[in-house]
């Protein structure tokens, strides 16, 4: 298929369509409303489900109900809307339901502002809602990568029976870049479903739930989930290196569009004779801890610099990875002020 | 149970009614008293003893947590089983009503706190046979709702209204958890005796943990004493392999 | 009450053969049975999904023999919406109490009704929060004593009890809304017809339906089961009149 | 080709975003890497609206550019705000129909285009953005005139009459730039 120019939000929507999303539930919020607008035309055209709910609280729970059918479903929102969905996200994680949630982040806390920021890192990677759970979290840095990761998200959601969150800032949502969709979307085979609600015909009834009154059973469930998260840590770490070499004095850690801004800065520094490498985590949970540790521990690295559009949230994970092996530094802006190269 | 010489000189409670209903303010120690009363009666009488957890207001520190230990003493525990054992649900087992009507031995009802907790008795009111039950108020003068005579009298009337049953006696269970001293006990009994005179309700017994009881001279307490063995312990107070609470 | 009716009817297939956790005199058991019988009679048990609420009926899936989802507090209509939109061929019902539906879930029920989701809502109104121990509900009557209105519900502070059936019937969209009671055998027989009709409308893919069922809670009301029936009759019925408030077909209004 | 950045700025309704997108579409046609990024939010309503397009033969790093090679300003507030940001040696295209001042800077090429007048003369003042687009192609040479023309036909071809007008002013803008700057001085 030829390259076409698409806004990030439209590309995310179309990627979901290509990945076989059968249902999309939404509530308008800047800067991701284009997804809803795009889907309101695209889904009915395909005979699939589009529904604008009355609130993000309802939308999150509609997603729960829809995911219980075993069909692929997703929603998109932005920071305050994602907060309202945390109830349902926690329930979905507890009930082991697959679903994809996209957060086109803006500045917070509270109403904050609508300009690009990466202020929801903690919310995304540390659980976000109540209870003992994790989401798989992916962060694209280009519109093409948003397409690729969106498709991957649906696969991972089904593979792990877990909600997957893709986070991007307003730039990813609003930016237009050339993208290419695969002509035919193929993915690895998935385990057969034995939990979806299809009616108790010829089998005993199934219950999709996260309630376990007996503490022993609740603990069993929590350890089962924990084992799943550990498996993600073994199998789903994703990252990219840029100009990492033995000449580097500084190693930058940055994700999403922030990483691209760092790339340009690295290019400019190279002209000035300063060698800097970039480590870009693509999966934020699982976080590439071992890999960062390995790169940071190399003899030539003098400083590990974390760059974010938030007040050093990811840096805590970087610190955990580096474990004091190297001096740390941070640079960042938030609230919609986008750092420039 | 081993009894020290000192303890033997204390008078022990004498309770002959078929149904013993233990009521009181939140956190007055009703459940601990109920469980110990069940143990005491199981050890000192030949009658079958049953305890029913009627606390539907608060799912924490309920007498059902002592189920396993009570059952080892041959006491019948009427509590929900399986997952529902832990549920924050107002589960009134049908067996409770029939037990109130005609249990062969002694039935102890551990009721939830305050008039709110006692309301459940009202839905069972027609099962209680006048003259066959005791309703005892657990008084801890260190708790706000029974700190003095007026507040205690108020609680008595509120509970009587909501339960539609009449009190028959008092239990002095004044304590300050781990900060309890002999003075805590003695001052508590003093207030309870005053309340007894003001309400014409007999002070049936005073409950005291063994460690404190050892420090009290029998002459200091003219009231029957129920020695308390702590059943409802906080996790850090438990010793390994004791007080298992699985239902 | 469930035991009593066992001697009259045989157990529906859509009901498990088990003892419920409900208190003596509670009408949840009866309502479960009416739902189960309706599913059996319409032959849809094998393509039905129930949505359990947070409340005393949180464990409804232990009693009603079909696939189930368990919702967060108040969100059952949103789950039902999500499911039904994806699988319009399945029968979806929610089973909710007054705290769940009329308080924390007011937004979800109003909008599900207003969108005309083709689901069946069984709304059990007993004028009190049962599960959490008898606190004031949005349907608690004026002056009714609860653990959070110890001097009786003061309507100048807390407003008047909400009449859900009437409220939803003001919406243009929803199809079938009726209020019934289950405190006497005659009322149970009528409620059965109504609940069955609500499910039938869904089978016919016609409309949203909500059946409000006046129910008793002897434990938290502080009455014996017998007294509770009388209290419902004397206090709830005058404020919550029984009857049909909306049907999908004008001719059917009785 | 090394990376080329162009920013278009004006007020809402001047077709800023459309002109930027046309550049991006044409870039894809020529197999370039492209990134189009708008300003959005409060700035969109009133004040200035702007977008940036990055064109490159290699992977694009930051889509946010502090000092673009070319800036096209459509109104006075944009002139004031972005004039100082043009990269030294770059190109500053000024819609002289609405901006009656010129920049004091001497380290870049300043091209004055009476875009609104030219569009109005052709039949529709709204086509001023296409005049500027033509001027940008003529002055920069970063994209082939033919590619941009094809893109216009593809994207704005639905209304024949409107398309003809747009193609006309594209050419006029292009020619004006070429005449003013000359083929070899393109930036």
């Amino acid at each position: 298929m030829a390259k076409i120019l698409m806004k990030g939000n439209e590309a995310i929507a179309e990627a979901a369509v290509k990945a076989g999303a059968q249902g999309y539930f939404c509530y308008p919020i800047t800067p991701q409303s284009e997804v809803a607008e795009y889907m309101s035309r695209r889904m009915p055209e395909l005979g699939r489900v589009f529904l604008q709910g009355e609130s993000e609280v309802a939308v999150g729970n509609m997603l729960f109900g829809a995911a219980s059918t075993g069909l692929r479903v997703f929603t998109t929102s932005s920071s305050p809307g994602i907060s309202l969905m945390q109830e349902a996200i926690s329930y979905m994680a507890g009930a082991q339901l697959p679903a994809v949630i996209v957060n086109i982040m803006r500045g917070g806390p509270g109403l904050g502002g609508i300009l690009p920021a990466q202020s929801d890192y903690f919310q995304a990677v540390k659980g976000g809602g109540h209870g003992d759970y994790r989401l798989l979290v992916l962060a694209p840095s280009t519109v093409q990568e948003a397409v690729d990761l969106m498709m991957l998200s649906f696969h991972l959601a089904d593979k792990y029976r877990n909600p997957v969150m893709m986070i991007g800032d307003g730039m990813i949502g609003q930016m237009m870049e050339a993208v290419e969709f695969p002509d035919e979307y193929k993915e690895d085979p998935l385990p057969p479903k034995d939990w979806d609600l299809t009616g108790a015909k010829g089998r005993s009834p199934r219950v999709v739930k996260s309630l376990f009154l007996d503490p022993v059973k609740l603990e069993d469930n929590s350890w089962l989930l924990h084992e799943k998260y550990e498996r993600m840590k073994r199998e789903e770490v994703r990252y990219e290196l840029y100009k990492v070499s033995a000449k580097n004095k500084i190693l930058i850690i940055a994700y999403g569009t922030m990483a691209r801004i760092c790339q340009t800065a690295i290019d400019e520094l190279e002209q000035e004779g300063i060698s800097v490498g970039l480590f870009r985590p693509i999966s934020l949970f699982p976080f590439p801890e071992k890999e960062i540790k390995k790169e940071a521990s190399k003899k030539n690295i003098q400083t590990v610099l974390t760059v974010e559009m938030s007040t050093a949230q990811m840096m805590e994970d970087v610190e955990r990875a580096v474990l004091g092996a190297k001096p740390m530094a941070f640079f960042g802006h938030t609230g919609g002020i986008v750092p420039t190269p | 149970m081993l009894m020290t010489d000192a303890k033997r000189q204390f008078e022990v409670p004498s309770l002959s009614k078929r149904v013993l209903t233990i009521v009181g303010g939140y956190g007055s120690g009703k459940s601990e008293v109920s469980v110990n009363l069940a143990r005491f009666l199981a050890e000192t009488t030949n009658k079958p003893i049953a305890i029913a957890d009627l606390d539907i207001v608060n799912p924490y520190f309920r007498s059902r947590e002592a189920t396993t230990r009570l059952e080892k003493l041959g006491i019948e525990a009427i509590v929900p089983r399986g997952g529902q054992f832990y549920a924050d649900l107002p589960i009134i087992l049908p067996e409770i009503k029939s037990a109130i009507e005609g249990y062969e031995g002694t039935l102890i009802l551990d009721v939830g706190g305050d008039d709110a907790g006692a309301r459940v008795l009202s839905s069972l009111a027609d099962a209680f046979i006048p003259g066959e039950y005791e309703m005892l108020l657990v008084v801890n003068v260190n708790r706000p709702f029974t700190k003095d005579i007026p507040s205690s009298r108020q609680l008595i009337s509120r509970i009587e209204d909501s339960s539609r049953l009449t009190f028959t006696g008092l239990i002095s269970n004044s304590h300050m958890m781990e900060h309890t001293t002999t003075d805590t006990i003695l001052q508590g009994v003093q207030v309870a005796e005053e309340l007894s005179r003001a309400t014409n309700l007999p002070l049936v017994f005073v409950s005291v943990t063994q460690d404190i009881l050892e420090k009290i001279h029998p002459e200091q307490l003219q009231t029957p004493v129920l020695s308390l063995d702590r059943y409802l312990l906080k996790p850090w107070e438990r010793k390994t392999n004791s007080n298992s609470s699985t239902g | 009450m469930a035991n009593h009716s066992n001697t009259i009817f045989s157990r529906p297939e859509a009901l498990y053969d088990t003892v419920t956790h409900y208190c003596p005199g509670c009408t949840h058991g009866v309502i479960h049975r009416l739902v189960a019988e309706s599913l059996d009679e319409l032959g849809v048990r094998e393509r039905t999904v129930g949505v359990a609420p947070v409340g005393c009926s949180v464990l409804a899936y232990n009693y009603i023999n079909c696939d189930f989802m368990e919702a967060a507090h108040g969100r059952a209509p949103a789950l039902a919406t999500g499911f039904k939109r994806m699988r319009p061929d399945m029968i979806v019902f929610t089973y909710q109490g007054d705290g769940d539906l009329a308080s924390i879930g007011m937004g979800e029920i109003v909008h599900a009704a207003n969108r005309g989701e083709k689901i069946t809502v069984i709304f059990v109104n007993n004028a009190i929060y049962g599960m959490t121990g008898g606190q004031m509900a949005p349907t608690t009557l004026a002056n009714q004593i609860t653990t959070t209105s110890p001097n009786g519900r003061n309507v100048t502070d807390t407003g008047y009890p909400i009449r859900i059936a009437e409220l939803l019937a003001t919406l243009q969209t929803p199809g079938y809304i009726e209020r019934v009671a289950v405190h006497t055998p005659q009322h149970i027989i009528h409620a059965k017809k109504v609940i069955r009709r609500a499910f039938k409308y869904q089978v016919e893919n016609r409309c949203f339906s909500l059946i409000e069922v006046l129910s008793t809670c002897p434990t938290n009301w502080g009455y014996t089961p017998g007294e509770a029936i009388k209290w419902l009759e004397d206090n709830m019925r005058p404020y919550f009149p029984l009857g049909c408030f909306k049907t999908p077909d004008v001719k059917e209004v009785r | 080709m090394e990376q080329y950045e162009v920013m278009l700025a004006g007020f809402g309704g001047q077709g800023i975003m459309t002109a930027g997108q046309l550049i991006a579409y044409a870039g894809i046609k020529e197999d370039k890497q492209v990134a189009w990024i708008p300003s959005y939010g409060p700035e969109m309503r009133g004040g200035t609206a702007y977008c940036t397009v990055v064109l490159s033969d290699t992977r694009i790093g930051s889509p946010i550019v502090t000092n673009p090679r070319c800036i096209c300003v459509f109104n006075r507030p944009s002139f004031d705000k972005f004039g100082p940001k043009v990269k030294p040696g770059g190109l500053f295209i000024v819609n002289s129909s609405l901006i009656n001042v010129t920049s004091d800077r001497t380290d870049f090429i300043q091209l004055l285009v009476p875009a609104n007048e030219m569009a109005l003369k052709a039949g529709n003042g709204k086509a001023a953005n296409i005049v500027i687009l033509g001027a940008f192609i003529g002055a920069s040479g970063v994209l082939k005139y033919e590619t941009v023309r094809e893109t216009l036909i593809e994207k704005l071809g639905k209304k024949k009459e409107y398309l003809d007008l747009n193609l006309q002013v594209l050419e006029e803008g292009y020619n004006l730039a070429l005449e003013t700057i000359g083929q070899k001085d393109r930036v």
Side-chain angles (χ1 to χ4, degrees):
Chain A
M1 197 173 157
K3 276 191 175 181
I4 48 169
L5 184 66
M6 280 189 118
K7 239 186 182 190
N9 284 333
E10 299 163 349
I12 285 166
E14 187 56 32
V17 167
K18 292 277 193 305
Q22 298 294 320
Y24 170 72
F25 300 83
C26 64
Y27 187 81
I29 181 169
T30 307
Q32 61 77 53
S33 298
E34 290 87 353
V35 185
E37 287 157 14
Y38 187 91
M39 292 308 258
S40 68
R41 294 188 303 274
R42 193 79 171 98
M43 293 298 261
E45 199 175 281
L46 297 164
R48 303 184 192 175
V49 174
F50 166 87
L51 185 63
Q52 178 175 329
E54 67 270 26
S55 68
E56 286 95 344
V57 175
V59 164
N61 286 284
M62 286 173 181
L63 201 64
F64 183 116
S68 301
T69 62
L71 297 167
R72 286 190 164 174
V73 293
F74 81 113
T75 186
T76 59
S77 189
S78 181
S79 310
I82 296 289
S83 290
L84 286 175
M85 290 179 187
Q86 292 300 340
E87 172 188 66
I89 293 172
S90 169
Y91 278 67
M92 279 190 277
Q96 299 208 62
L97 283 176
V100 176
I101 300 138
V102 179
N103 182 4
I104 301 297
M105 296 182 285
R106 50 197 244 184
L111 200 47
I114 58 172
L115 295 170
Q118 297 179 320
S119 48
D120 304 338
Y121 178 88
F122 282 153
Q123 187 192 48
V125 306
K126 307 292 180 189
H130 62 281
D132 211 346
Y133 76 94
R134 297 302 181 105
L135 304 176
L136 267 160
V137 184
L138 302 173
S141 71
T142 66
V143 176
Q144 180 65 54
E145 197 179 25
V147 166
D148 301 341
L149 293 184
M150 190 67 187
M151 293 171 125
L152 177 67
S153 294
F154 281 98
H155 178 75
L156 294 178
D158 278 339
K159 181 178 172 188
Y160 289 95
R161 281 185 64 190
N162 205 68
V164 176
M165 185 173 277
M166 190 170 88
I167 62 174
D169 56 70
M171 265 187 284
I172 279 287
Q174 295 297 322
M175 184 167 52
M176 274 194 184
E177 288 188 297
V179 290
E180 202 169 4
F181 291 95
D183 287 326
E184 201 184 341
Y185 181 53
K186 281 207 190 93
E187 53 186 315
D188 299 337
L190 288 162
K193 288 196 177 82
D194 57 359
W195 52 268
D196 50 335
L197 302 185
T198 52
K201 186 171 185 176
R203 60 160 170 79
S204 51
R206 293 170 178 166
V207 181
V208 171
K209 67 179 176 106
S210 55
L211 174 70
F212 298 89
L213 285 175
D214 186 335
V216 175
K217 286 183 182 152
L218 177 58
E219 185 180 19
D220 286 350
N221 186 59
S222 295
W223 285 115
L224 190 81
L225 294 179
H226 177 78
E227 173 42 41
K228 189 165 82 172
Y229 306 142
E230 290 300 309
R231 195 180 140 213
M232 291 174 188
K233 286 182 185 175
R234 289 192 299 272
E235 296 177 18
E236 307 300 342
V237 168
R238 289 172 168 80
Y239 64 97
E240 190 188 53
L241 302 177
Y242 182 73
K243 294 195 175 168
V244 166
S245 76
K247 284 184 285 176
N248 295 159
K249 296 254 184 297
I250 298 168
L251 180 68
I252 291 181
I253 320 286
Y255 71 99
T257 49
M258 193 62 244
R260 292 178 66 172
I261 295 169
C262 292
Q263 279 172 20
T264 303
I266 287 169
D267 292 346
E268 288 175 8
L269 288 167
E270 199 175 31
Q271 307 273 314
E272 295 170 28
I274 303 168
S275 175
V276 178
L278 170 73
F279 188 109
R280 179 171 72 90
I282 297 170
S283 60
L284 299 180
F285 185 88
F287 193 70
E289 289 169 28
K290 288 191 201 82
E291 295 76 6
I292 287 180
K293 167 93 177 171
K294 187 180 144 222
E295 292 302 330
S297 301
K298 288 184 177 162
K299 260 194 265 171
N300 53 299
I301 300 295
Q302 294 172 355
T303 305
V304 177
L305 172 68
T306 306
V307 185
E308 295 173 60
M309 283 191 275
S310 65
T311 54
Q313 294 188 30
M314 181 178 70
M315 191 179 176
E316 292 191 8
D317 282 342
V318 175
E319 280 172 335
R320 226 162 30 82
V322 175
L323 285 170
K326 288 290 158 70
M328 305 286 293
F330 176 78
F331 177 78
H333 275 302
T334 185
I337 297 168
V338 179
T340 50
Chain B
M1 191 185 87
L2 290 171
M3 283 195 177
T4 64
D5 286 345
K7 275 184 196 160
R8 201 170 290 131
Q9 294 163 26
F10 289 108
E11 200 185 330
V12 293
S14 158
L15 289 154
S16 57
K17 294 282 164 59
R18 204 172 49 76
V19 179
L20 307 176
T21 311
I22 312 297
V23 190
Y26 282 119
S28 55
K30 301 172 297 297
S31 294
E32 196 71 85
V33 167
S34 301
V35 169
N36 276 279
L37 192 56
R39 174 192 48 80
F40 168 75
L41 294 173
E43 285 168 352
T44 56
T45 68
N46 297 323
K47 284 189 250 177
I49 309 294
I51 180 165
D53 184 351
L54 269 180
D55 189 346
I56 58 165
V57 247
N58 187 331
Y60 294 96
F61 296 111
R62 296 187 282 201
S63 60
R64 65 181 68 168
E65 290 176 24
T67 301
T68 311
R69 281 180 71 190
L70 292 176
E71 284 174 342
K72 278 185 193 151
L73 296 170
I75 296 164
E76 187 185 344
I78 310 178
V79 295
R81 301 291 165 150
Q84 290 172 10
F85 180 89
Y86 307 95
D88 181 14
L89 284 167
I91 299 173
I92 308 296
L93 296 173
E95 297 94 295
I96 291 178
K97 192 172 183 189
S98 41
I100 296 169
E101 281 167 345
Y103 187 70
E104 299 279 320
T106 306
L107 171 70
I108 295 167
L109 297 176
D110 172 28
V111 182
D114 285 4
D115 45 332
R119 177 162 296 116
V120 61
L121 295 171
S122 182
S123 71
L124 300 162
D126 55 359
F128 286 89
I129 301 164
E132 287 194 12
Y133 73 89
E134 295 261 19
M135 184 161 85
L136 306 174
L137 178 77
V138 178
V139 180
N140 178 353
V141 298
N142 302 305
R143 294 286 296 155
F145 297 137
T146 45
K147 64 178 190 298
D148 52 21
I149 309 298
S151 59
S152 297
R153 292 188 73 156
Q154 222 175 18
L155 183 64
I156 287 173
S157 95
R158 287 206 330 254
I159 290 179
E160 287 188 338
D161 279 354
S162 80
S163 67
R164 291 192 283 170
L165 297 173
T166 316
F167 276 106
T168 60
L170 307 174
I171 296 166
S172 178
N173 186 47
S174 290
H175 65 83
M176 290 283 275
M177 304 303 285
E178 65 272 29
H179 305 295
T180 311
T181 63
T182 53
D183 280 352
T184 318
I185 304 295
L186 299 175
Q187 280 160 15
V189 170
Q190 205 180 340
V191 178
E193 279 170 343
E194 225 176 295
L195 182 65
S196 168
R197 284 191 292 277
T199 56
N200 277 327
L201 292 170
L203 178 57
V204 181
F205 61 82
V206 51
S207 42
V208 189
T209 53
Q210 285 165 15
D211 54 331
I212 302 293
L213 201 54
E214 279 164 13
K215 298 178 195 155
I216 297 176
H217 196 277
E219 280 176 15
Q220 290 174 284
L221 271 181
Q222 304 304 313
T223 322
V225 171
L226 176 74
S227 91
L228 287 181
D229 186 3
R230 295 279 308 282
Y231 276 65
L232 307 177
L233 294 170
K234 292 166 194 145
W236 53 91
E237 295 171 331
R238 289 177 197 155
K239 292 190 188 88
T240 319
N241 295 331
S242 75
N243 205 263
S244 160
S245 65
T246 21
Chain C
M1 204 161 254
N3 287 338
H4 171 66
S5 49
N6 270 342
T7 60
I8 302 172
F9 308 105
S10 64
R11 181 179 60 84
E13 195 192 353
L15 211 57
Y16 289 113
D17 186 12
T18 183
V19 179
T20 74
H21 69 276
Y22 299 120
C23 305
C26 170
T27 37
H28 270 308
V30 177
I31 305 167
H32 283 9
R33 163 174 283 272
L34 299 185
V35 168
E37 286 176 355
S38 300
L39 297 180
D40 278 357
E41 288 170 21
L42 294 167
V44 295
R45 184 191 73 85
E46 294 181 335
R47 60 180 176 108
T48 295
V49 170
V51 189
V54 168
C56 281
S57 44
V58 64
L59 302 174
Y61 48 78
N62 285 346
Y63 312 125
I64 299 175
N65 177 8
C66 66
D67 277 4
F68 253 93
M69 294 184 271
E70 189 172 272
H73 197 19
R75 318 290 175 230
L79 266 69
T81 296
F83 195 98
K84 183 75 179 184
R85 290 276 175 148
M86 300 302 290
R87 291 291 306 267
D89 55 319
M90 302 249 314
I91 302 299
V92 183
F93 74 92
T94 73
Y95 188 105
Q96 302 177 260
D98 40 31
D100 193 71
L101 182 140
S103 195
I104 194 167
M106 185 60 113
E108 282 75 14
I109 189 60
V110 170
H111 287 277
N114 194 52
R115 286 189 303 264
E117 299 296 343
K118 292 183 180 61
I119 58 171
T120 303
V121 176
I122 306 298
F123 168 45
V124 180
N125 176 3
N126 60 14
I128 206 156
Y129 278 79
M131 175 184 184
T132 46
Q135 294 86 359
M136 188 180 78
T139 51
T140 290
L141 296 174
N143 302 317
Q144 183 183 337
I145 289 170
T146 70
T147 58
T148 50
S149 59
N151 303 314
R153 178 176 184 162
N154 178 349
V155 293
T156 54
D157 281 354
T158 62
Y160 283 86
I162 299 174
R163 295 185 179 104
I164 286 292
E166 287 88 334
L167 184 93
L168 294 181
T170 64
L171 299 171
Q172 184 86 18
T173 324
Y176 181 44
I177 297 176
E178 180 151 357
R179 183 184 287 121
V180 296
V182 286
H183 60 303
T184 71
Q186 292 88 330
H187 283 98
I188 292 173
I189 290 165
H190 177 68
K192 166 64 194 302
K193 283 186 197 151
V194 168
I195 288 173
R196 189 179 188 278
R197 180 181 305 154
F199 277 104
K200 190 151 184 290
Y201 284 145
Q202 187 179 171
V203 172
E204 292 167 358
N205 201 28
R206 283 177 79 170
C207 62
F208 171 89
S209 59
L210 176 138
I211 308 306
E212 177 171 341
V213 186
L214 298 188
S215 187
T216 57
C217 182
T219 301
N220 284 302
W221 289 356
Y223 294 123
T224 65
E227 292 165 340
I229 289 168
K230 189 169 184 311
W231 191 85
L232 185 153
E233 187 67 36
D234 294 349
N235 298 278
M236 286 184 78
R237 278 199 60 188
Y239 190 83
F240 296 112
L242 304 184
C244 180
F245 296 90
K246 194 144 193 165
T247 70
D249 185 337
V250 179
K251 277 177 284 181
E252 284 189 41
V253 180
R254 287 148 298 120
Chain D
M1 185 190 83
E2 53 183 304
Q3 188 164 296
Y4 197 106
E5 312 92 19
V6 52
M7 173 191 269
L8 299 101
F11 52 77
Q14 284 186 308
I16 307 287
M17 303 295 167
T18 311
Q21 286 172 21
L22 288 167
I23 294 171
Y25 284 124
I28 291 182
K29 268 183 177 299
E30 293 190 4
D31 263 343
K32 294 184 196 307
Q33 303 273 329
V34 303
W36 171 96
I37 187 162
S39 64
Y40 66 94
E43 288 176 280
M44 216 158 148
R45 301 162 192 104
T48 51
Y50 63 91
C51 67
T52 311
V53 185
V54 182
L55 300 163
S56 175
D57 286 336
T58 53
R59 156 173 171 162
I60 296 172
S62 174
I64 302 279
V65 183
T66 326
N67 303 110
R69 178 98 69 98
C70 172
I71 299 183
C72 309
V73 291
F74 285 63
N75 66 352
R76 182 63 197 266
S78 311
F79 175 93
D80 293 340
K81 187 172 176 185
F82 296 112
K85 303 224 166 175
V86 182
K87 195 184 230 173
L91 175 64
F92 191 39
I93 300 179
V94 178
N95 177 8
S96 59
S97 300
L98 300 182
I99 303 165
N100 57 6
V101 288
T102 54
S103 173
D104 296 336
R105 278 180 64 174
T106 54
D107 60 342
F108 60 48
I109 289 181
Q110 185 165 214
L111 177 64
L112 305 182
V113 182
N116 288 65
E117 285 161 62
M118 287 166 72
L120 209 58
K121 207 168 132 198
N124 191 342
K126 279 191 173 174
N129 61 335
I130 306 297
V131 179
I132 300 280
L133 174 63
F136 165 68
I137 306 301
S140 70
V142 69
L143 293 164
K144 293 190 189 79
Y145 174 75
E146 266 314 307
T147 318
V148 179
R149 198 170 182 278
E150 276 169 34
T151 308
L152 237 69
I153 294 167
E154 267 172 40
K155 298 293 169 187
L156 309 174
K158 277 183 197 150
K159 278 188 189 163
K160 182 80 176 66
E161 207 183 281
Y162 190 50
L163 176 66
D164 288 346
L165 188 145
N166 276 318
L167 291 177
Q168 186 194 328
V169 299
L170 179 77
E171 193 178 350
E172 286 175 15
Y174 179 76
N175 288 335
L176 175 81
L178 269 189
E179 285 158 20
T180 316
I181 292 177
Q183 193 90 21
K184 65 177 171 36
D185 291 328
R186 283 176 159 183
V187 272

